[in-house]
Amino acid sequence: MTRVRIFDSPAALSRALAGHVARALAAHPAIVLGLATGRTPIPLYRELVRLHGAGRADFSRATTFNLDEFLGVGATDPRSYRAFMQTHLFDHVNLSARRIHFLNGAVGPGRGVARECDRYERAIERAGGIDLQILGLGMNGHIGFNEPARALAARTHSARLKPATRRANAPLFGNRVGAVPREALSMGMATILHARRIVLLATGSMKARSVERMIAGPVTPRLPASFLQLHRHVDIWLDRAAARNLG
Ligand code: GLP
């Protein structure tokens, strides 16, 4: 069942969602979280860091898996999604380093990529699966780096990035679109749909059209987020701007 929650502002949404995550951590300290990058979850991470500082969010037994990483960009590269997560969350909370999982973008081509994707799938399985997956929404309806296409990959794979997605990620690369990798590693649609619960967050009017198609349109690989309609426990958290096309 898809439940839609609409908040007055991105700040109000982030506060409520951080509280929700903190309660999930309290109820289930060894929770396995799926995490997303992008501008949208930054205020959520800020709020989680604040709650942690106030003694209200304990990550000491939690495990995390991030959705995606650029291919050819290593973990210590400041432009990596891994570095993004260190800056916005990992450096400020008490997650154990060995329970933070990330796709390694620095793997060699060919077999290296296949082995890395396989390793990630197995690590998720060994952790018992993802309990709560946080997702953002690409302007073109992508989730993770599952881009609109004729067909979607089920499992973790290397994905070719659309020009619009490379433009959206340019700020990480000194605003040089040409410097954004053409490929990335990403959990696949089945990997994502296997999470027990999913919370997708979208804010701002630029996302309104994709939000409308995701919720009310057909399930189609042309809008990967529409596949969330197939999941039992999806919560879509929006601000008013992102929800403006909903009836
Ligand atoms: C990126 C990431 C996605 C993210 C999306 C939206 O390309 N791979 O996981 O959800 O873009 O980003 P933003 O929140 O900045 O709009």
Side-chain angles (χ1 to χ4, degrees), residues 36-41 67-68 81 135-138 142-145 165 169 207:
T37 50
R39 278 175 293 268
T40 316
L67 276 170
D68 46 15
Y81 275 169
L135 295 175
L137 177 66
H142 73 229
I143 49 180
F145 274 130
T165 300
N169 279 280
K207 302 284 171 73

Side-chain angles (χ1 to χ4, degrees), residues 119-141:
R119 176 193 71 79
Y120 210 57
E121 287 287 332
R122 281 203 311 271
I124 294 172
E125 227 174 271
R126 258 200 318 275
I130 292 171
D131 294 309
L132 174 62
Q133 174 70 55
I134 310 274
L135 295 175
L137 177 66
M139 229 132 65
N140 62 6

Side-chain angles (χ1 to χ4, degrees), residues 95-227:
L95 271 163
S96 149
R98 68 196 162 86
R99 282 195 284 272
I100 293 175
H101 298 270
F102 237 94
L103 280 155
N104 175 12
V107 284
R111 282 298 303 142
V113 167
R115 267 199 298 272
E116 175 59 8
C117 294
D118 225 49
R119 176 193 71 79
Y120 210 57
E121 287 287 332
R122 281 203 311 271
I124 294 172
E125 227 174 271
R126 258 200 318 275
I130 292 171
D131 294 309
L132 174 62
Q133 174 70 55
I134 310 274
L135 295 175
L137 177 66
M139 229 132 65
N140 62 6
H142 73 229
I143 49 180
F145 274 130
N146 294 277
E147 293 276 41
R150 251 178 299 142
L152 298 174
R155 295 297 175 180
T156 302
H157 61 287
S158 71
R160 233 184 139 62
L161 305 186
K162 297 271 186 199
T165 300
R166 293 179 70 219
R167 279 197 299 278
N169 279 280
L172 285 173
F173 293 82
N175 285 319
R176 289 170 46 234
V177 182
V180 180
R182 291 174 190 281
E183 281 184 76
L185 300 176
S186 176
M187 284 186 197
M189 197 54 63
T191 322
I192 293 168
L193 290 174
H194 271 84
R196 291 180 188 89
R197 285 179 179 272
I198 295 177
V199 174
L200 178 140
L201 42 156
T203 54
S205 56
M206 309 263 277
K207 302 284 171 73
R209 179 74 185 120
S210 284
V211 164
E212 178 189 9
R213 292 176 64 202
M214 165 177 69
I215 294 171
V219 176
T220 166
R222 293 291 174 199
L223 192 98
S226 66
F227 274 74

Side-chain angles (χ1 to χ4, degrees), residues 215-235:
I215 294 171
V219 176
T220 166
R222 293 291 174 199
L223 192 98
S226 66
F227 274 74
L228 296 177
Q229 293 178 34
L230 303 175
H231 195 279
R232 275 172 184 277
H233 292 293
V234 179
D235 292 308

